[in-house]
Amino acid sequence: MALLEIRNLSVEFATRTGTFRAVDGIDLTVDAGDVVGLVGESGSGKSVTSLALMGLIGRNGRITADRMDFDGRDMRTLSPRERRRLTGKDVAMVFQEPMSSLNPCFTIGFQIIESLRAHERLDRRAARRRAVELLEQVGIPAAESRMSAYPHQLSGGMNQRVMIAMAISCNPRLLIADEPTTALDVTIQKQILDLLVDLQRQRGMALVLITHDMGVVAETAHRVVVMYAGQVVETRAVDELFVHPRHRYTGALLDALPERALGRRRLPTIPGMVPGISDRPQGCLFNPRCAFVQEKCRRETVPLIADETGIARCFFPIESEGGPSA
Amino acid sequence: MIASKAPATAVDGPVIEAVNLKQHFVLRRGPFLPPQVVRAVDGVSFRLPRAQTLAVVGESGCGKSTLARMITMIDPPTSGDLLLQGRPVSEIAPRIRRQTVQMIFQNPFGSLNPRKRVGQILEEPLIVNGEGDREQRREKALLMMSKVGLRPDQYDRYPHMFSGGQRQRIAIARSLMLNPRVVIADEPVSALDVSIQAQVLNLLMDLQDEFGVAYLFISHDLSVVRHIARDVIVMYLGRAVEHGPRDLLFQEPRHPYTRALLAATPMVAPHLRRADRVPMGELPSPLNPPSGCPYHKRCPYTTTLCTTDLPVLRPVAGRLVACHHADELDPMAPVPVS
């Protein structure tokens, strides 16, 4: 049984101009010990998906799903109280901006102890001991003395380590990391990603890594889910996806990477931009930007179509490696 | 259209030549404590020829933005010589200087005045510099809009009506309004999505071909730098640690820090990933830099010499490297695991 099983999840927000579907019927399955990369450009709905999983969507948002099971329990029917017991304990999250996710008014020690006391019912002394251990585990030097430091006294990378320490403090079974390294330098990014992967392996946690950086996904994830305009457009094992993407959007996105254009001066681009709140097209959501668009793509909604190695939401997928053919 | 008058005397030499530029900030910590000096940039030299791109890479805190601020003379350097088209900047009238050197900022959501329309934003540099009359300015703004891929009917729109990529196009158009010789681009694509980033990089290269403008391209993204730059300076704690032609640096990096940066950059293609180890720890505080080589605390090759003597930038294998052991390091060999 999968640890997390999501079917047809949608998140809608009420706006002045009508309802906006930020996440549009996505399916997501995460097994224990799996590392799933969720990639997409801004506006693709990847962060909203993670917030929905954590139960952090505000009041103006409406979540619907056919199925939303975590470890066999239906998350849709949990009472708020049960939900809170789950969130932060079995399902934990690391956010993008460590500086703004930590409370500037409290020491990092206090903030780690807070979740330990709430979820694990440890006494003060035991919680403190555990917090120091956690800080050591995430590679913070002089952990004991850092307990009384405030977030502004630490660097971005150190703060992100603190966030990770908090997230793993109650031994979560699923860790969602939303752009955990976007605000960090490459050398620190590498350290943090290595740390996340080490922790994931040691503890057998499942990790959902949300990012816009194709390189990060390629080096970290086992399986990749590509999102576009609120939909899943392709799901595949990592090696397969980067060697032979099937969806035209995935292909175009990879081609736009400078590392793929070595020796060429011009980068292949995708014209236009991700459709926003009011300009979602008919048919395939990518059709206005697709170089291989056919009449059918403009007319008909595309289902997710299974192939030998995964699924892609494309009527005319990229056939073979190398030459894209329409 | 306004005749594009060359802002300063055109010469064939480098448009910018920097010799041993330094920027030291003095921090006064209290009435009884001696002031402390932060060597934000400590002796950087380069030549940037016409229509070329020089990239400056490094982690945050390495001094790359301080360098940009010196070259635009937002913060004049503490010492060192800065020559614009062969003449020391101090001899050039500020107005001419500003026409020669323009800047594109990282965040297009912060760099455009939200209360001004695109047309006004683009014409402002012309008004400030007293160029042309109203009609000519409008004509030039519309021309520049078409060059960066904006439609004429967007002339009267406000910045909030544009996406990030389009705003960066506006910022690029604005930087080119005065026909500058040099544009300092401080992380111009790091706030943009991959597909938009490719569009803006292509645009920057096209504009370089058309206007012959030189770019000082500041970035932390090595794959972007590899695409756009001809020469690269790798900075660490205010100093250049490796400086040379792009392909040499990327294919056979000699400085351990360059190798570490390359290894840390995530790559989609497995054959582009380097097996080097990532540097340990973080950038030391510039307030209290380590003795000897500034990188020695994070470097896997450190010897006693590194802890005591500051390596100077010297020519090694076709580029400049500031490392005592640059000759001994096999550029392709993996780092020893200690």
Side-chain angles (χ1 to χ4, degrees), chain A residues 155 158 185 187-188 191, chain B residues 40 58-64 235-238 257 261 279-290 294-295 297-298:
Chain A
S155 66
M158 281 296 157
D185 279 313
T187 55
I188 310 300
Q191 292 172 5
Chain B
E59 290 172 276
S60 36
C62 75
K64 35 185 211 302
M235 282 184 73
Y236 190 78
L237 226 55
Y257 181 61
L261 279 183
M280 305 152 276
E282 302 189 358
L283 200 72
S285 160
L287 265 175
N288 185 20
Y295 187 58
K297 292 211 164 135
R298 302 173 78 191

PDB file of all heavy atoms in Angstrom, chain A residues 155 158 185 187-188 191, chain B residues 40 58-64 235-238 257 261 279-290 294-295 297-298:
ATOM      1  N   SER A 155      23.060  32.077   9.225  1.00  0.00           N
ATOM      2  CA  SER A 155      22.996  32.280   7.784  1.00  0.00           C
ATOM      3  C   SER A 155      21.788  31.551   7.214  1.00  0.00           C
ATOM      4  O   SER A 155      21.139  30.754   7.904  1.00  0.00           O
ATOM      5  CB  SER A 155      24.261  31.740   7.143  1.00  0.00           C
ATOM      6  OG  SER A 155      24.307  30.346   7.306  1.00  0.00           O
ATOM      7  N   MET A 158      22.167  27.805   7.399  1.00  0.00           N
ATOM      8  CA  MET A 158      22.013  27.309   8.769  1.00  0.00           C
ATOM      9  C   MET A 158      20.530  27.309   9.158  1.00  0.00           C
ATOM     10  O   MET A 158      20.046  26.378   9.790  1.00  0.00           O
ATOM     11  CB  MET A 158      22.805  28.176   9.750  1.00  0.00           C
ATOM     12  CG  MET A 158      24.282  27.868   9.754  1.00  0.00           C
ATOM     13  SD  MET A 158      24.601  26.194  10.319  1.00  0.00           S
ATOM     14  CE  MET A 158      26.178  25.899   9.583  1.00  0.00           C
ATOM     15  N   ASP A 185      22.932  29.504  -1.905  1.00  0.00           N
ATOM     16  CA  ASP A 185      24.021  29.377  -2.870  1.00  0.00           C
ATOM     17  C   ASP A 185      24.220  27.930  -3.290  1.00  0.00           C
ATOM     18  O   ASP A 185      23.866  27.021  -2.558  1.00  0.00           O
ATOM     19  CB  ASP A 185      25.321  29.870  -2.229  1.00  0.00           C
ATOM     20  CG  ASP A 185      25.421  31.370  -2.281  1.00  0.00           C
ATOM     21  OD1 ASP A 185      25.161  31.927  -3.349  1.00  0.00           O
ATOM     22  OD2 ASP A 185      25.748  31.968  -1.250  1.00  0.00           O
ATOM     23  N   THR A 187      26.786  25.892  -3.388  1.00  0.00           N
ATOM     24  CA  THR A 187      27.538  24.969  -2.528  1.00  0.00           C
ATOM     25  C   THR A 187      26.683  24.582  -1.317  1.00  0.00           C
ATOM     26  O   THR A 187      26.667  23.433  -0.893  1.00  0.00           O
ATOM     27  CB  THR A 187      28.857  25.597  -2.042  1.00  0.00           C
ATOM     28  OG1 THR A 187      28.560  26.823  -1.398  1.00  0.00           O
ATOM     29  CG2 THR A 187      29.792  25.854  -3.191  1.00  0.00           C
ATOM     30  N   ILE A 188      25.948  25.555  -0.786  1.00  0.00           N
ATOM     31  CA  ILE A 188      25.073  25.277   0.354  1.00  0.00           C
ATOM     32  C   ILE A 188      23.896  24.423  -0.110  1.00  0.00           C
ATOM     33  O   ILE A 188      23.453  23.505   0.580  1.00  0.00           O
ATOM     34  CB  ILE A 188      24.574  26.596   0.982  1.00  0.00           C
ATOM     35  CG1 ILE A 188      25.736  27.550   1.236  1.00  0.00           C
ATOM     36  CG2 ILE A 188      23.806  26.329   2.271  1.00  0.00           C
ATOM     37  CD1 ILE A 188      26.793  27.039   2.165  1.00  0.00           C
ATOM     38  N   GLN A 191      24.928  20.925  -0.135  1.00  0.00           N
ATOM     39  CA  GLN A 191      25.007  20.386   1.232  1.00  0.00           C
ATOM     40  C   GLN A 191      23.616  20.041   1.759  1.00  0.00           C
ATOM     41  O   GLN A 191      23.414  18.985   2.367  1.00  0.00           O
ATOM     42  CB  GLN A 191      25.657  21.406   2.172  1.00  0.00           C
ATOM     43  CG  GLN A 191      27.131  21.660   1.891  1.00  0.00           C
ATOM     44  CD  GLN A 191      27.681  22.819   2.726  1.00  0.00           C
ATOM     45  OE1 GLN A 191      26.996  23.363   3.580  1.00  0.00           O
ATOM     46  NE2 GLN A 191      28.924  23.201   2.474  1.00  0.00           N
TER      47      GLN A 191
ATOM     48  N   ALA B  40      35.497  44.195   1.094  1.00  0.00           N
ATOM     49  CA  ALA B  40      34.432  43.597   0.284  1.00  0.00           C
ATOM     50  C   ALA B  40      34.965  43.170  -1.076  1.00  0.00           C
ATOM     51  O   ALA B  40      34.633  42.109  -1.583  1.00  0.00           O
ATOM     52  CB  ALA B  40      33.283  44.580   0.122  1.00  0.00           C
ATOM     53  N   GLY B  58      30.286  33.606  -8.171  1.00  0.00           N
ATOM     54  CA  GLY B  58      30.701  33.360  -6.796  1.00  0.00           C
ATOM     55  C   GLY B  58      29.476  33.311  -5.903  1.00  0.00           C
ATOM     56  O   GLY B  58      28.381  33.648  -6.329  1.00  0.00           O
ATOM     57  N   GLU B  59      29.684  32.874  -4.672  1.00  0.00           N
ATOM     58  CA  GLU B  59      28.572  32.775  -3.738  1.00  0.00           C
ATOM     59  C   GLU B  59      28.193  34.159  -3.230  1.00  0.00           C
ATOM     60  O   GLU B  59      28.947  35.109  -3.385  1.00  0.00           O
ATOM     61  CB  GLU B  59      28.991  31.909  -2.544  1.00  0.00           C
ATOM     62  CG  GLU B  59      29.165  30.461  -2.890  1.00  0.00           C
ATOM     63  CD  GLU B  59      29.770  29.688  -1.726  1.00  0.00           C
ATOM     64  OE1 GLU B  59      30.997  29.695  -1.605  1.00  0.00           O
ATOM     65  OE2 GLU B  59      29.017  29.100  -0.970  1.00  0.00           O
ATOM     66  N   SER B  60      27.043  34.243  -2.578  1.00  0.00           N
ATOM     67  CA  SER B  60      26.678  35.548  -2.031  1.00  0.00           C
ATOM     68  C   SER B  60      27.695  35.929  -0.963  1.00  0.00           C
ATOM     69  O   SER B  60      28.172  35.084  -0.215  1.00  0.00           O
ATOM     70  CB  SER B  60      25.263  35.534  -1.456  1.00  0.00           C
ATOM     71  OG  SER B  60      24.952  34.321  -0.853  1.00  0.00           O
ATOM     72  N   GLY B  61      28.055  37.205  -0.958  1.00  0.00           N
ATOM     73  CA  GLY B  61      29.077  37.651  -0.030  1.00  0.00           C
ATOM     74  C   GLY B  61      30.471  37.636  -0.609  1.00  0.00           C
ATOM     75  O   GLY B  61      31.425  38.002   0.065  1.00  0.00           O
ATOM     76  N   CYS B  62      30.607  37.234  -1.889  1.00  0.00           N
ATOM     77  CA  CYS B  62      31.951  37.160  -2.451  1.00  0.00           C
ATOM     78  C   CYS B  62      32.392  38.506  -3.027  1.00  0.00           C
ATOM     79  O   CYS B  62      33.537  38.669  -3.405  1.00  0.00           O
ATOM     80  CB  CYS B  62      32.027  36.086  -3.532  1.00  0.00           C
ATOM     81  SG  CYS B  62      31.251  36.554  -5.073  1.00  0.00           S
ATOM     82  N   GLY B  63      31.477  39.456  -3.107  1.00  0.00           N
ATOM     83  CA  GLY B  63      31.850  40.790  -3.584  1.00  0.00           C
ATOM     84  C   GLY B  63      31.421  41.085  -5.000  1.00  0.00           C
ATOM     85  O   GLY B  63      31.785  42.121  -5.547  1.00  0.00           O
ATOM     86  N   LYS B  64      30.625  40.217  -5.616  1.00  0.00           N
ATOM     87  CA  LYS B  64      30.302  40.469  -7.011  1.00  0.00           C
ATOM     88  C   LYS B  64      29.387  41.685  -7.179  1.00  0.00           C
ATOM     89  O   LYS B  64      29.590  42.480  -8.097  1.00  0.00           O
ATOM     90  CB  LYS B  64      29.723  39.238  -7.726  1.00  0.00           C
ATOM     91  CG  LYS B  64      28.855  38.314  -6.948  1.00  0.00           C
ATOM     92  CD  LYS B  64      28.485  37.092  -7.779  1.00  0.00           C
ATOM     93  CE  LYS B  64      27.126  36.551  -7.394  1.00  0.00           C
ATOM     94  NZ  LYS B  64      27.008  36.186  -5.982  1.00  0.00           N
ATOM     95  N   MET B 235      35.030  34.611  -8.113  1.00  0.00           N
ATOM     96  CA  MET B 235      35.427  35.400  -6.937  1.00  0.00           C
ATOM     97  C   MET B 235      35.171  34.626  -5.658  1.00  0.00           C
ATOM     98  O   MET B 235      34.223  33.867  -5.554  1.00  0.00           O
ATOM     99  CB  MET B 235      34.679  36.729  -6.899  1.00  0.00           C
ATOM    100  CG  MET B 235      35.253  37.757  -7.854  1.00  0.00           C
ATOM    101  SD  MET B 235      34.413  39.335  -7.704  1.00  0.00           S
ATOM    102  CE  MET B 235      35.050  39.913  -6.138  1.00  0.00           C
ATOM    103  N   TYR B 236      36.032  34.854  -4.700  1.00  0.00           N
ATOM    104  CA  TYR B 236      35.851  34.267  -3.382  1.00  0.00           C
ATOM    105  C   TYR B 236      36.328  35.263  -2.353  1.00  0.00           C
ATOM    106  O   TYR B 236      37.485  35.672  -2.386  1.00  0.00           O
ATOM    107  CB  TYR B 236      36.624  32.952  -3.260  1.00  0.00           C
ATOM    108  CG  TYR B 236      36.275  32.184  -2.016  1.00  0.00           C
ATOM    109  CD1 TYR B 236      35.100  31.452  -1.955  1.00  0.00           C
ATOM    110  CD2 TYR B 236      37.096  32.211  -0.895  1.00  0.00           C
ATOM    111  CE1 TYR B 236      34.748  30.761  -0.820  1.00  0.00           C
ATOM    112  CE2 TYR B 236      36.749  31.517   0.248  1.00  0.00           C
ATOM    113  CZ  TYR B 236      35.581  30.792   0.296  1.00  0.00           C
ATOM    114  OH  TYR B 236      35.224  30.111   1.409  1.00  0.00           O
ATOM    115  N   LEU B 237      35.422  35.660  -1.477  1.00  0.00           N
ATOM    116  CA  LEU B 237      35.749  36.583  -0.399  1.00  0.00           C
ATOM    117  C   LEU B 237      36.502  37.835  -0.893  1.00  0.00           C
ATOM    118  O   LEU B 237      37.518  38.220  -0.348  1.00  0.00           O
ATOM    119  CB  LEU B 237      36.585  35.841   0.655  1.00  0.00           C
ATOM    120  CG  LEU B 237      36.161  36.057   2.105  1.00  0.00           C
ATOM    121  CD1 LEU B 237      34.699  35.705   2.313  1.00  0.00           C
ATOM    122  CD2 LEU B 237      37.023  35.246   3.043  1.00  0.00           C
ATOM    123  N   GLY B 238      35.958  38.443  -1.930  1.00  0.00           N
ATOM    124  CA  GLY B 238      36.499  39.708  -2.381  1.00  0.00           C
ATOM    125  C   GLY B 238      37.667  39.625  -3.339  1.00  0.00           C
ATOM    126  O   GLY B 238      38.175  40.643  -3.788  1.00  0.00           O
ATOM    127  N   TYR B 257      38.223  25.903  -5.721  1.00  0.00           N
ATOM    128  CA  TYR B 257      36.910  26.503  -5.512  1.00  0.00           C
ATOM    129  C   TYR B 257      36.079  26.459  -6.793  1.00  0.00           C
ATOM    130  O   TYR B 257      34.891  26.192  -6.759  1.00  0.00           O
ATOM    131  CB  TYR B 257      37.063  27.947  -5.018  1.00  0.00           C
ATOM    132  CG  TYR B 257      35.736  28.608  -4.751  1.00  0.00           C
ATOM    133  CD1 TYR B 257      34.870  28.094  -3.791  1.00  0.00           C
ATOM    134  CD2 TYR B 257      35.338  29.729  -5.469  1.00  0.00           C
ATOM    135  CE1 TYR B 257      33.649  28.674  -3.553  1.00  0.00           C
ATOM    136  CE2 TYR B 257      34.115  30.319  -5.234  1.00  0.00           C
ATOM    137  CZ  TYR B 257      33.272  29.794  -4.276  1.00  0.00           C
ATOM    138  OH  TYR B 257      32.054  30.372  -4.051  1.00  0.00           O
ATOM    139  N   LEU B 261      32.490  24.683  -7.147  1.00  0.00           N
ATOM    140  CA  LEU B 261      31.283  25.325  -7.665  1.00  0.00           C
ATOM    141  C   LEU B 261      30.682  24.498  -8.791  1.00  0.00           C
ATOM    142  O   LEU B 261      29.468  24.292  -8.864  1.00  0.00           O
ATOM    143  CB  LEU B 261      31.598  26.724  -8.203  1.00  0.00           C
ATOM    144  CG  LEU B 261      31.700  27.868  -7.224  1.00  0.00           C
ATOM    145  CD1 LEU B 261      31.956  29.158  -7.989  1.00  0.00           C
ATOM    146  CD2 LEU B 261      30.426  28.004  -6.408  1.00  0.00           C
ATOM    147  N   PRO B 279      32.443  21.824  -1.172  1.00  0.00           N
ATOM    148  CA  PRO B 279      33.206  22.404  -0.064  1.00  0.00           C
ATOM    149  C   PRO B 279      32.438  22.257   1.241  1.00  0.00           C
ATOM    150  O   PRO B 279      31.227  22.299   1.276  1.00  0.00           O
ATOM    151  CB  PRO B 279      33.338  23.866  -0.455  1.00  0.00           C
ATOM    152  CG  PRO B 279      32.254  24.111  -1.421  1.00  0.00           C
ATOM    153  CD  PRO B 279      32.047  22.824  -2.143  1.00  0.00           C
ATOM    154  N   MET B 280      33.200  22.110   2.286  1.00  0.00           N
ATOM    155  CA  MET B 280      32.592  22.005   3.602  1.00  0.00           C
ATOM    156  C   MET B 280      32.238  23.398   4.080  1.00  0.00           C
ATOM    157  O   MET B 280      32.829  24.377   3.653  1.00  0.00           O
ATOM    158  CB  MET B 280      33.603  21.387   4.561  1.00  0.00           C
ATOM    159  CG  MET B 280      34.144  20.067   4.075  1.00  0.00           C
ATOM    160  SD  MET B 280      35.809  19.757   4.687  1.00  0.00           S
ATOM    161  CE  MET B 280      36.841  20.616   3.538  1.00  0.00           C
ATOM    162  N   GLY B 281      31.309  23.473   4.976  1.00  0.00           N
ATOM    163  CA  GLY B 281      31.013  24.719   5.662  1.00  0.00           C
ATOM    164  C   GLY B 281      30.514  25.814   4.748  1.00  0.00           C
ATOM    165  O   GLY B 281      30.053  25.564   3.644  1.00  0.00           O
ATOM    166  N   GLU B 282      30.617  27.026   5.242  1.00  0.00           N
ATOM    167  CA  GLU B 282      30.078  28.164   4.521  1.00  0.00           C
ATOM    168  C   GLU B 282      31.163  29.216   4.320  1.00  0.00           C
ATOM    169  O   GLU B 282      32.256  29.108   4.868  1.00  0.00           O
ATOM    170  CB  GLU B 282      28.915  28.771   5.315  1.00  0.00           C
ATOM    171  CG  GLU B 282      27.830  27.736   5.557  1.00  0.00           C
ATOM    172  CD  GLU B 282      26.583  28.334   6.142  1.00  0.00           C
ATOM    173  OE1 GLU B 282      26.562  29.553   6.392  1.00  0.00           O
ATOM    174  OE2 GLU B 282      25.629  27.581   6.339  1.00  0.00           O
ATOM    175  N   LEU B 283      30.793  30.238   3.533  1.00  0.00           N
ATOM    176  CA  LEU B 283      31.702  31.344   3.299  1.00  0.00           C
ATOM    177  C   LEU B 283      32.064  31.980   4.641  1.00  0.00           C
ATOM    178  O   LEU B 283      31.195  32.311   5.421  1.00  0.00           O
ATOM    179  CB  LEU B 283      30.982  32.362   2.412  1.00  0.00           C
ATOM    180  CG  LEU B 283      31.790  33.368   1.646  1.00  0.00           C
ATOM    181  CD1 LEU B 283      32.504  32.679   0.495  1.00  0.00           C
ATOM    182  CD2 LEU B 283      30.891  34.461   1.115  1.00  0.00           C
ATOM    183  N   PRO B 284      33.380  32.150   4.924  1.00  0.00           N
ATOM    184  CA  PRO B 284      33.732  32.788   6.196  1.00  0.00           C
ATOM    185  C   PRO B 284      33.287  34.253   6.208  1.00  0.00           C
ATOM    186  O   PRO B 284      33.046  34.837   5.155  1.00  0.00           O
ATOM    187  CB  PRO B 284      35.249  32.665   6.253  1.00  0.00           C
ATOM    188  CG  PRO B 284      35.693  32.057   4.982  1.00  0.00           C
ATOM    189  CD  PRO B 284      34.527  31.797   4.114  1.00  0.00           C
ATOM    190  N   SER B 285      33.188  34.804   7.393  1.00  0.00           N
ATOM    191  CA  SER B 285      32.780  36.198   7.501  1.00  0.00           C
ATOM    192  C   SER B 285      33.862  37.106   6.929  1.00  0.00           C
ATOM    193  O   SER B 285      35.034  36.963   7.270  1.00  0.00           O
ATOM    194  CB  SER B 285      32.548  36.548   8.968  1.00  0.00           C
ATOM    195  OG  SER B 285      32.598  37.942   9.118  1.00  0.00           O
ATOM    196  N   PRO B 286      33.480  38.035   6.076  1.00  0.00           N
ATOM    197  CA  PRO B 286      34.488  38.962   5.541  1.00  0.00           C
ATOM    198  C   PRO B 286      35.049  39.883   6.622  1.00  0.00           C
ATOM    199  O   PRO B 286      36.075  40.517   6.424  1.00  0.00           O
ATOM    200  CB  PRO B 286      33.723  39.749   4.468  1.00  0.00           C
ATOM    201  CG  PRO B 286      32.282  39.497   4.701  1.00  0.00           C
ATOM    202  CD  PRO B 286      32.146  38.254   5.514  1.00  0.00           C
ATOM    203  N   LEU B 287      34.374  39.922   7.771  1.00  0.00           N
ATOM    204  CA  LEU B 287      34.895  40.724   8.882  1.00  0.00           C
ATOM    205  C   LEU B 287      36.125  40.073   9.487  1.00  0.00           C
ATOM    206  O   LEU B 287      36.956  40.722  10.088  1.00  0.00           O
ATOM    207  CB  LEU B 287      33.833  40.815   9.976  1.00  0.00           C
ATOM    208  CG  LEU B 287      32.927  42.028   9.956  1.00  0.00           C
ATOM    209  CD1 LEU B 287      31.880  41.896  11.027  1.00  0.00           C
ATOM    210  CD2 LEU B 287      33.725  43.303  10.116  1.00  0.00           C
ATOM    211  N   ASN B 288      36.183  38.756   9.364  1.00  0.00           N
ATOM    212  CA  ASN B 288      37.245  38.020  10.034  1.00  0.00           C
ATOM    213  C   ASN B 288      37.759  36.942   9.086  1.00  0.00           C
ATOM    214  O   ASN B 288      37.569  35.758   9.311  1.00  0.00           O
ATOM    215  CB  ASN B 288      36.663  37.408  11.318  1.00  0.00           C
ATOM    216  CG  ASN B 288      37.735  36.727  12.115  1.00  0.00           C
ATOM    217  OD1 ASN B 288      38.921  37.003  11.930  1.00  0.00           O
ATOM    218  ND2 ASN B 288      37.319  35.805  12.974  1.00  0.00           N
ATOM    219  N   PRO B 289      38.383  37.359   7.972  1.00  0.00           N
ATOM    220  CA  PRO B 289      38.790  36.368   6.974  1.00  0.00           C
ATOM    221  C   PRO B 289      39.907  35.484   7.502  1.00  0.00           C
ATOM    222  O   PRO B 289      40.681  35.908   8.358  1.00  0.00           O
ATOM    223  CB  PRO B 289      39.270  37.229   5.796  1.00  0.00           C
ATOM    224  CG  PRO B 289      39.613  38.542   6.385  1.00  0.00           C
ATOM    225  CD  PRO B 289      38.793  38.712   7.617  1.00  0.00           C
ATOM    226  N   PRO B 290      39.982  34.233   7.019  1.00  0.00           N
ATOM    227  CA  PRO B 290      41.037  33.342   7.482  1.00  0.00           C
ATOM    228  C   PRO B 290      42.409  33.848   7.051  1.00  0.00           C
ATOM    229  O   PRO B 290      42.518  34.605   6.077  1.00  0.00           O
ATOM    230  CB  PRO B 290      40.726  32.013   6.794  1.00  0.00           C
ATOM    231  CG  PRO B 290      39.454  32.196   6.068  1.00  0.00           C
ATOM    232  CD  PRO B 290      39.155  33.647   5.987  1.00  0.00           C
ATOM    233  N   PRO B 294      42.176  32.538   1.469  1.00  0.00           N
ATOM    234  CA  PRO B 294      40.848  32.688   2.070  1.00  0.00           C
ATOM    235  C   PRO B 294      40.005  31.415   1.971  1.00  0.00           C
ATOM    236  O   PRO B 294      39.046  31.244   2.712  1.00  0.00           O
ATOM    237  CB  PRO B 294      40.210  33.836   1.265  1.00  0.00           C
ATOM    238  CG  PRO B 294      41.049  34.001   0.054  1.00  0.00           C
ATOM    239  CD  PRO B 294      42.411  33.499   0.390  1.00  0.00           C
ATOM    240  N   TYR B 295      40.390  30.518   1.072  1.00  0.00           N
ATOM    241  CA  TYR B 295      39.589  29.307   0.863  1.00  0.00           C
ATOM    242  C   TYR B 295      40.112  28.129   1.683  1.00  0.00           C
ATOM    243  O   TYR B 295      39.524  27.052   1.673  1.00  0.00           O
ATOM    244  CB  TYR B 295      39.594  28.980  -0.638  1.00  0.00           C
ATOM    245  CG  TYR B 295      38.672  27.859  -1.040  1.00  0.00           C
ATOM    246  CD1 TYR B 295      37.306  27.925  -0.767  1.00  0.00           C
ATOM    247  CD2 TYR B 295      39.150  26.731  -1.695  1.00  0.00           C
ATOM    248  CE1 TYR B 295      36.454  26.894  -1.130  1.00  0.00           C
ATOM    249  CE2 TYR B 295      38.312  25.702  -2.062  1.00  0.00           C
ATOM    250  CZ  TYR B 295      36.960  25.793  -1.783  1.00  0.00           C
ATOM    251  OH  TYR B 295      36.125  24.770  -2.141  1.00  0.00           O
ATOM    252  N   LYS B 297      40.063  26.969   4.611  1.00  0.00           N
ATOM    253  CA  LYS B 297      39.263  26.220   5.593  1.00  0.00           C
ATOM    254  C   LYS B 297      38.260  25.274   4.942  1.00  0.00           C
ATOM    255  O   LYS B 297      37.756  24.363   5.572  1.00  0.00           O
ATOM    256  CB  LYS B 297      38.526  27.201   6.498  1.00  0.00           C
ATOM    257  CG  LYS B 297      39.495  27.955   7.381  1.00  0.00           C
ATOM    258  CD  LYS B 297      38.895  28.322   8.712  1.00  0.00           C
ATOM    259  CE  LYS B 297      39.996  28.707   9.674  1.00  0.00           C
ATOM    260  NZ  LYS B 297      39.701  29.914  10.429  1.00  0.00           N
ATOM    261  N   ARG B 298      37.938  25.516   3.682  1.00  0.00           N
ATOM    262  CA  ARG B 298      36.942  24.671   3.029  1.00  0.00           C
ATOM    263  C   ARG B 298      37.565  23.782   1.959  1.00  0.00           C
ATOM    264  O   ARG B 298      36.888  23.005   1.317  1.00  0.00           O
ATOM    265  CB  ARG B 298      35.873  25.557   2.368  1.00  0.00           C
ATOM    266  CG  ARG B 298      35.165  26.473   3.326  1.00  0.00           C
ATOM    267  CD  ARG B 298      34.255  27.438   2.610  1.00  0.00           C
ATOM    268  NE  ARG B 298      33.005  26.837   2.188  1.00  0.00           N
ATOM    269  CZ  ARG B 298      32.134  27.413   1.366  1.00  0.00           C
ATOM    270  NH1 ARG B 298      32.389  28.603   0.876  1.00  0.00           N
ATOM    271  NH2 ARG B 298      31.017  26.809   1.031  1.00  0.00           N
TER     272      ARG B 298
END
